[in-house]
Amino acid sequence: MNNNPANQDHVRPIPPQTNPDQLAKDLSILCGKARESGASDAVVISAGDVIFRPEIREKVSRQDAFPSIHWPLDYPKDNIEEAIRAYRKGILFCVAAGENLPDYGGGPIDNPLHRNRYLLVYEIASILESASFYMGHHLAMGFAVGNCRSVFCPDEKRCVPMLKGKPCIHPNIGRPSMEAAGMDALCMAENAGWITDESRFLPVGLVMVD
């Protein structure tokens, strides 16, 4: 059984410089892997296609009743937008929302079927991030949807890593969401042709690859 998140054929050392043709092939493979892992669709995007809006971060900062280390997101020494702009390409993907899936914001998510929709985005982001690493794209960075605490730790009284000296319970899969980072995921999904109604919620994830 192959437990490697990337196929053995795609394991390679980190190159001193990425070949553009190889990157294009890798991105195509990663889109396929996203679909195989449960994504409804996946597309290659450029760093310039990532849309940031300050009002989204402001909205997240107000939804602080169920806080976590990733919601609201506070990186005082790092600028996420600058970090994203340093990449060339990434994979934007979505999963089927199903019927009546709302935007839970910071959570919690009481409906287990709804929580599984959110969970799938985290799983796919983790798979793509790991696969990218094995392909030699060691700086791949993934973003999911919603508040990781509402997906993984809804019964915890506190987000564990918010307690001094405590590590995350789910370090390999817990991560910031696109909206917590200030990205307009729904506008990007609309640009990808996945939604035409701005009021409709769609679970979207992003992995910047190289």
Side-chain angles (χ1 to χ4, degrees), residues 55-77:
E55 56 266 31
I56 292 179
R57 289 203 66 177
E58 292 169 4
K59 177 181 177 181
V60 169
S61 69
R62 294 192 298 269
Q63 298 177 338
D64 60 355
F66 203 61
S68 75
I69 196 70
H70 290 140
W71 187 287
L73 193 62
D74 183 21
Y75 291 165
K77 296 184 179 181

mmCIF file of all heavy atoms in Angstrom, residues 55-77:
data_model
loop_
_atom_site.group_PDB
_atom_site.id
_atom_site.type_symbol
_atom_site.label_atom_id
_atom_site.label_comp_id
_atom_site.label_asym_id
_atom_site.label_seq_id
_atom_site.Cartn_x
_atom_site.Cartn_y
_atom_site.Cartn_z
ATOM 1 N N GLU A 55 -12.621 44.420 3.935
ATOM 2 C CA GLU A 55 -13.904 44.276 4.615
ATOM 3 C C GLU A 55 -14.190 42.827 5.012
ATOM 4 O O GLU A 55 -14.955 42.580 5.949
ATOM 5 C CB GLU A 55 -15.051 44.813 3.755
ATOM 6 C CG GLU A 55 -15.171 44.193 2.371
ATOM 7 C CD GLU A 55 -14.445 44.977 1.302
ATOM 8 O OE1 GLU A 55 -13.424 45.616 1.613
ATOM 9 O OE2 GLU A 55 -14.917 44.942 0.145
ATOM 10 N N ILE A 56 -13.577 41.871 4.309
ATOM 11 C CA ILE A 56 -13.770 40.465 4.680
ATOM 12 C C ILE A 56 -13.036 40.163 5.978
ATOM 13 O O ILE A 56 -13.578 39.504 6.874
ATOM 14 C CB ILE A 56 -13.306 39.541 3.539
ATOM 15 C CG1 ILE A 56 -14.242 39.701 2.338
ATOM 16 C CG2 ILE A 56 -13.265 38.082 3.999
ATOM 17 C CD1 ILE A 56 -13.875 38.874 1.143
ATOM 18 N N ARG A 57 -11.820 40.638 6.117
ATOM 19 C CA ARG A 57 -11.095 40.465 7.377
ATOM 20 C C ARG A 57 -11.813 41.175 8.517
ATOM 21 O O ARG A 57 -11.858 40.674 9.642
ATOM 22 C CB ARG A 57 -9.666 40.982 7.254
ATOM 23 C CG ARG A 57 -8.773 40.110 6.392
ATOM 24 C CD ARG A 57 -7.316 40.309 6.720
ATOM 25 N NE ARG A 57 -7.010 39.844 8.072
ATOM 26 C CZ ARG A 57 -5.800 39.855 8.599
ATOM 27 N NH1 ARG A 57 -4.770 40.318 7.889
ATOM 28 N NH2 ARG A 57 -5.600 39.421 9.818
ATOM 29 N N GLU A 58 -12.379 42.332 8.236
ATOM 30 C CA GLU A 58 -13.128 43.058 9.264
ATOM 31 C C GLU A 58 -14.357 42.278 9.701
ATOM 32 O O GLU A 58 -14.688 42.220 10.898
ATOM 33 C CB GLU A 58 -13.522 44.432 8.728
ATOM 34 C CG GLU A 58 -12.340 45.369 8.507
ATOM 35 C CD GLU A 58 -12.714 46.614 7.731
ATOM 36 O OE1 GLU A 58 -13.920 46.778 7.424
ATOM 37 O OE2 GLU A 58 -11.811 47.416 7.416
ATOM 38 N N LYS A 59 -15.029 41.637 8.733
ATOM 39 C CA LYS A 59 -16.192 40.817 9.055
ATOM 40 C C LYS A 59 -15.790 39.645 9.934
ATOM 41 O O LYS A 59 -16.467 39.329 10.922
ATOM 42 C CB LYS A 59 -16.847 40.320 7.756
ATOM 43 C CG LYS A 59 -18.039 39.401 7.979
ATOM 44 C CD LYS A 59 -18.604 38.931 6.640
ATOM 45 C CE LYS A 59 -19.750 37.946 6.856
ATOM 46 N NZ LYS A 59 -20.283 37.468 5.549
ATOM 47 N N VAL A 60 -14.675 38.992 9.586
ATOM 48 C CA VAL A 60 -14.190 37.862 10.387
ATOM 49 C C VAL A 60 -13.837 38.322 11.796
ATOM 50 O O VAL A 60 -14.131 37.633 12.779
ATOM 51 C CB VAL A 60 -12.968 37.211 9.698
ATOM 52 C CG1 VAL A 60 -12.290 36.221 10.641
ATOM 53 C CG2 VAL A 60 -13.397 36.508 8.416
ATOM 54 N N SER A 61 -13.216 39.491 11.918
ATOM 55 C CA SER A 61 -12.812 39.983 13.238
ATOM 56 C C SER A 61 -14.004 40.230 14.146
ATOM 57 O O SER A 61 -13.878 40.158 15.375
ATOM 58 C CB SER A 61 -11.985 41.260 13.097
ATOM 59 O OG SER A 61 -12.784 42.334 12.641
ATOM 60 N N ARG A 62 -15.176 40.481 13.552
ATOM 61 C CA ARG A 62 -16.385 40.690 14.353
ATOM 62 C C ARG A 62 -17.036 39.368 14.757
ATOM 63 O O ARG A 62 -17.842 39.337 15.693
ATOM 64 C CB ARG A 62 -17.393 41.551 13.574
ATOM 65 C CG ARG A 62 -16.915 42.981 13.328
ATOM 66 C CD ARG A 62 -18.055 43.845 12.823
ATOM 67 N NE ARG A 62 -18.590 43.390 11.542
ATOM 68 C CZ ARG A 62 -18.163 43.798 10.351
ATOM 69 N NH1 ARG A 62 -17.176 44.685 10.277
ATOM 70 N NH2 ARG A 62 -18.708 43.348 9.238
ATOM 71 N N GLN A 63 -16.710 38.292 14.038
ATOM 72 C CA GLN A 63 -17.290 36.981 14.344
ATOM 73 C C GLN A 63 -16.353 36.226 15.289
ATOM 74 O O GLN A 63 -15.775 35.207 14.938
ATOM 75 C CB GLN A 63 -17.521 36.199 13.052
ATOM 76 C CG GLN A 63 -18.503 36.867 12.103
ATOM 77 C CD GLN A 63 -18.650 36.111 10.789
ATOM 78 O OE1 GLN A 63 -17.795 35.339 10.387
ATOM 79 N NE2 GLN A 63 -19.759 36.353 10.099
ATOM 80 N N ASP A 64 -16.208 36.744 16.493
ATOM 81 C CA ASP A 64 -15.203 36.243 17.418
ATOM 82 C C ASP A 64 -15.789 35.493 18.617
ATOM 83 O O ASP A 64 -15.122 35.318 19.639
ATOM 84 C CB ASP A 64 -14.329 37.391 17.913
ATOM 85 C CG ASP A 64 -15.141 38.473 18.633
ATOM 86 O OD1 ASP A 64 -16.390 38.365 18.653
ATOM 87 O OD2 ASP A 64 -14.528 39.408 19.174
ATOM 88 N N ALA A 65 -17.022 35.020 18.486
ATOM 89 C CA ALA A 65 -17.651 34.312 19.606
ATOM 90 C C ALA A 65 -17.090 32.911 19.797
ATOM 91 O O ALA A 65 -17.249 32.319 20.870
ATOM 92 C CB ALA A 65 -19.167 34.237 19.382
ATOM 93 N N PHE A 66 -16.436 32.354 18.767
ATOM 94 C CA PHE A 66 -15.892 30.991 18.821
ATOM 95 C C PHE A 66 -14.451 31.046 18.315
ATOM 96 O O PHE A 66 -14.112 30.451 17.297
ATOM 97 C CB PHE A 66 -16.763 30.077 17.943
ATOM 98 C CG PHE A 66 -16.700 28.617 18.280
ATOM 99 C CD1 PHE A 66 -17.079 28.148 19.523
ATOM 100 C CD2 PHE A 66 -16.266 27.694 17.335
ATOM 101 C CE1 PHE A 66 -17.032 26.798 19.822
ATOM 102 C CE2 PHE A 66 -16.220 26.345 17.615
ATOM 103 C CZ PHE A 66 -16.606 25.893 18.870
ATOM 104 N N PRO A 67 -13.576 31.773 19.010
ATOM 105 C CA PRO A 67 -12.243 32.080 18.472
ATOM 106 C C PRO A 67 -11.320 30.873 18.414
ATOM 107 O O PRO A 67 -11.459 29.912 19.174
ATOM 108 C CB PRO A 67 -11.709 33.121 19.451
ATOM 109 C CG PRO A 67 -12.382 32.792 20.744
ATOM 110 C CD PRO A 67 -13.776 32.355 20.348
ATOM 111 N N SER A 68 -10.371 30.937 17.487
ATOM 112 C CA SER A 68 -9.332 29.917 17.381
ATOM 113 C C SER A 68 -8.034 30.602 16.984
ATOM 114 O O SER A 68 -8.015 31.801 16.707
ATOM 115 C CB SER A 68 -9.699 28.849 16.346
ATOM 116 O OG SER A 68 -9.535 29.351 15.027
ATOM 117 N N ILE A 69 -6.975 29.839 16.922
ATOM 118 C CA ILE A 69 -5.684 30.386 16.526
ATOM 119 C C ILE A 69 -5.711 30.899 15.084
ATOM 120 O O ILE A 69 -4.913 31.742 14.695
ATOM 121 C CB ILE A 69 -4.577 29.307 16.701
ATOM 122 C CG1 ILE A 69 -3.183 29.939 16.687
ATOM 123 C CG2 ILE A 69 -4.706 28.224 15.652
ATOM 124 C CD1 ILE A 69 -2.889 30.768 17.904
ATOM 125 N N HIS A 70 -6.690 30.400 14.313
ATOM 126 C CA HIS A 70 -6.810 30.791 12.913
ATOM 127 C C HIS A 70 -8.053 31.636 12.636
ATOM 128 O O HIS A 70 -8.340 31.934 11.473
ATOM 129 C CB HIS A 70 -6.828 29.545 12.011
ATOM 130 C CG HIS A 70 -5.516 28.832 11.954
ATOM 131 N ND1 HIS A 70 -5.418 27.458 11.953
ATOM 132 C CD2 HIS A 70 -4.249 29.299 11.916
ATOM 133 C CE1 HIS A 70 -4.141 27.111 11.906
ATOM 134 N NE2 HIS A 70 -3.422 28.207 11.876
ATOM 135 N N TRP A 71 -8.802 32.001 13.686
ATOM 136 C CA TRP A 71 -10.036 32.787 13.470
ATOM 137 C C TRP A 71 -10.338 33.608 14.711
ATOM 138 O O TRP A 71 -10.621 33.016 15.746
ATOM 139 C CB TRP A 71 -11.203 31.859 13.179
ATOM 140 C CG TRP A 71 -12.465 32.589 12.785
ATOM 141 C CD1 TRP A 71 -13.292 33.307 13.611
ATOM 142 C CD2 TRP A 71 -13.045 32.656 11.482
ATOM 143 N NE1 TRP A 71 -14.342 33.813 12.904
ATOM 144 C CE2 TRP A 71 -14.220 33.430 11.600
ATOM 145 C CE3 TRP A 71 -12.687 32.136 10.230
ATOM 146 C CZ2 TRP A 71 -15.044 33.696 10.507
ATOM 147 C CZ3 TRP A 71 -13.500 32.411 9.154
ATOM 148 C CH2 TRP A 71 -14.674 33.173 9.287
ATOM 149 N N PRO A 72 -10.335 34.915 14.659
ATOM 150 C CA PRO A 72 -9.785 35.746 13.584
ATOM 151 C C PRO A 72 -8.273 35.540 13.449
ATOM 152 O O PRO A 72 -7.607 35.189 14.424
ATOM 153 C CB PRO A 72 -10.104 37.175 14.037
ATOM 154 C CG PRO A 72 -11.159 37.045 15.083
ATOM 155 C CD PRO A 72 -10.897 35.721 15.740
ATOM 156 N N LEU A 73 -7.761 35.780 12.280
ATOM 157 C CA LEU A 73 -6.359 35.511 11.999
ATOM 158 C C LEU A 73 -5.520 36.742 12.336
ATOM 159 O O LEU A 73 -5.838 37.845 11.914
ATOM 160 C CB LEU A 73 -6.194 35.155 10.525
ATOM 161 C CG LEU A 73 -4.871 34.540 10.092
ATOM 162 C CD1 LEU A 73 -4.628 33.215 10.799
ATOM 163 C CD2 LEU A 73 -4.858 34.333 8.580
ATOM 164 N N ASP A 74 -4.457 36.521 13.094
ATOM 165 C CA ASP A 74 -3.614 37.642 13.508
ATOM 166 C C ASP A 74 -2.145 37.263 13.374
ATOM 167 O O ASP A 74 -1.607 36.536 14.204
ATOM 168 C CB ASP A 74 -3.923 38.034 14.961
ATOM 169 C CG ASP A 74 -3.117 39.247 15.413
ATOM 170 O OD1 ASP A 74 -2.648 39.997 14.536
ATOM 171 O OD2 ASP A 74 -2.964 39.439 16.638
ATOM 172 N N TYR A 75 -1.535 37.718 12.280
ATOM 173 C CA TYR A 75 -0.104 37.513 12.069
ATOM 174 C C TYR A 75 0.562 38.889 12.091
ATOM 175 O O TYR A 75 0.759 39.510 11.044
ATOM 176 C CB TYR A 75 0.162 36.846 10.719
ATOM 177 C CG TYR A 75 -0.289 35.411 10.597
ATOM 178 C CD1 TYR A 75 -0.388 34.804 9.350
ATOM 179 C CD2 TYR A 75 -0.607 34.649 11.715
ATOM 180 C CE1 TYR A 75 -0.789 33.481 9.216
ATOM 181 C CE2 TYR A 75 -1.014 33.329 11.592
ATOM 182 C CZ TYR A 75 -1.106 32.755 10.343
ATOM 183 O OH TYR A 75 -1.511 31.447 10.217
ATOM 184 N N PRO A 76 0.886 39.411 13.265
ATOM 185 C CA PRO A 76 1.374 40.797 13.346
ATOM 186 C C PRO A 76 2.684 41.046 12.609
ATOM 187 O O PRO A 76 2.960 42.183 12.206
ATOM 188 C CB PRO A 76 1.538 41.017 14.863
ATOM 189 C CG PRO A 76 1.649 39.651 15.453
ATOM 190 C CD PRO A 76 0.801 38.767 14.588
ATOM 191 N N LYS A 77 3.491 40.004 12.402
ATOM 192 C CA LYS A 77 4.787 40.188 11.754
ATOM 193 C C LYS A 77 4.809 39.702 10.308
ATOM 194 O O LYS A 77 5.853 39.739 9.656
ATOM 195 C CB LYS A 77 5.880 39.470 12.553
ATOM 196 C CG LYS A 77 6.084 40.047 13.950
ATOM 197 C CD LYS A 77 7.239 39.367 14.660
ATOM 198 C CE LYS A 77 7.458 39.975 16.042
ATOM 199 N NZ LYS A 77 8.600 39.326 16.751
#
